[in-house]
Amino acid sequence: MSWWGADGVAEDGSQRPLAIPILEDKLVQRAVVLLLTPIYEQDFYEFSYGFRPGRGAHDALHALREQGMELRGVWLVDADIRGFFDSVNHGLLQQILRQRVNDGGIVRLVGKWLNAGIQEGSSLTHPETGTPQGGVISPLLSNIFLHTVLDEWFVQQVQPRLRGRSFLIRYADDFVIGCELEDDARRVLAVLAKRLAKYGLSLHPDKTRLVQFRRPPRGKTEAEGNGTFDFLGFTHYWTRSRRGFWVIKRRTARKRLRRSMLALSQWCRRNRHEPMAEQHKKLSQKLRGHYGYYGIVGNFQAIRAVYQHTRQVWRKWLSRRSWRSYVTWERFLELEEIFVLPAPRIVHANV
């Protein structure tokens, strides 16, 4: 039982280890996931959206917008768990599993996966904490762990003690807690760190904050003290609709937008010598994938910016295929009549 090591890119641009199981372990892990999912789907709460059947990031975004609109703004605990996937305590996770799984063989099997060595070149390491990112079973194990650590705690212990209305929206280890009253939000933020520390987790001090996410008071503009926050790749903000009502809208977060544009530019540079038809095919796939996630109502300008950026960098690197291959905009427009890139469009109208 072993894993192949690889590197992934974290949100801040740093490298993080990925563990890819060998084929035999993938098959067994898939079988265990099929066995455990029906058991835990009975326990998981409606506000948990990550890696669950029939649920996705856009469902979480829709729920967050609906909750914020219903309360006409909230005090938001915008929290970030520091290195969650690398910090999960193996012993505590197995204890949590035993509460619902009576089959000792399954628990021992999960323990072997958690403690399996990671082979990277000639180096073999045995991590003492964390769930291997890239493993088939890792998303389910993470949901099981956070269901006990965060979800149950919030519903059973926190909400009954709050004076106002509140909600939790979680997608894997990304979550926000909204409170109707400022005092409630400050109390939640104060005890949240202690709760996570009990299970070996910690909050990132620079990425955890309290946000006054409320529509501006009457007579003030949206620029006057209106807080914003990022969640699942979108910046959430209050603004007026075309009819003049205050609504919550979302746009692509700046970091995600820069990262997408940089990735497209680097791809065009690396593949500038490939046949035009092949470049067009791949770029079209990338753009459709981008629209498929970020194409929500109110975000057209951001996805249009990605489209225009793609056209610019594609022409730029086509011009550098050789010293005789400079492509003017007139020539590029002629090429676009043959190799048409998919235009930006709104895919999710009800998110």
Side-chain angles (χ1 to χ4, degrees), residues 247-265:
V247 295
I248 296 174
K249 288 190 177 182
R250 288 73 50 90
R251 60 176 178 265
T252 308
R254 288 183 180 179
K255 287 184 178 180
R256 293 289 186 94
L257 187 60
R258 287 197 299 267
R259 190 171 70 183
S260 297
M261 289 182 173
L262 178 60
L264 285 163
S265 181

Side-chain angles (χ1 to χ4, degrees), residues 109 148 162 184 236:
L109 192 58
T148 297
L162 300 180
D184 286 343
H236 301 246

Side-chain angles (χ1 to χ4, degrees), residues 22-83:
I22 60 177
L23 178 59
E24 291 83 352
D25 279 341
K26 282 185 178 180
L27 296 175
V28 179
Q29 285 185 33
R30 175 56 61 189
V32 173
V33 168
L34 293 175
L35 179 66
L36 295 182
T37 295
I39 297 174
Y40 281 99
E41 277 298 314
Q42 303 176 60
D43 300 340
F44 290 160
Y45 290 101
E46 289 295 316
F47 54 74
S48 171
Y49 293 91
F51 308 110
R52 294 183 59 190
R55 290 168 170 262
H58 290 96
D59 298 310
L61 291 168
H62 177 74
L64 177 56
R65 183 178 187 274
E66 292 299 304
Q67 295 271 21
M69 293 282 290
E70 181 181 346
L71 297 182
R72 299 184 178 182
V74 293
W75 286 86
L76 200 87
V77 178
D78 183 12
D80 183 272
I81 301 178
R82 191 203 301 255

Side-chain angles (χ1 to χ4, degrees), residues 235-248:
T235 297
H236 301 246
Y237 63 99
W238 282 94
T239 188
R240 289 192 181 276
S241 67
R242 292 181 179 179
R243 297 183 179 181
F245 300 108
W246 285 106
V247 295
I248 296 174

Side-chain angles (χ1 to χ4, degrees), residues 163-197:
R163 294 188 296 113
R165 291 176 290 177
S166 62
F167 63 84
L168 167 65
I169 302 293
R170 182 173 68 80
Y171 186 91
D173 62 321
D174 293 328
F175 69 94
V176 291
I177 298 175
C179 296
E180 187 176 17
L181 304 177
E182 179 182 1
D183 288 344
D184 286 343
R186 294 192 180 279
R187 289 168 60 197
V188 171
L189 182 59
V191 299
L192 179 60
K194 297 179 182 178
R195 174 65 180 182
L196 295 178

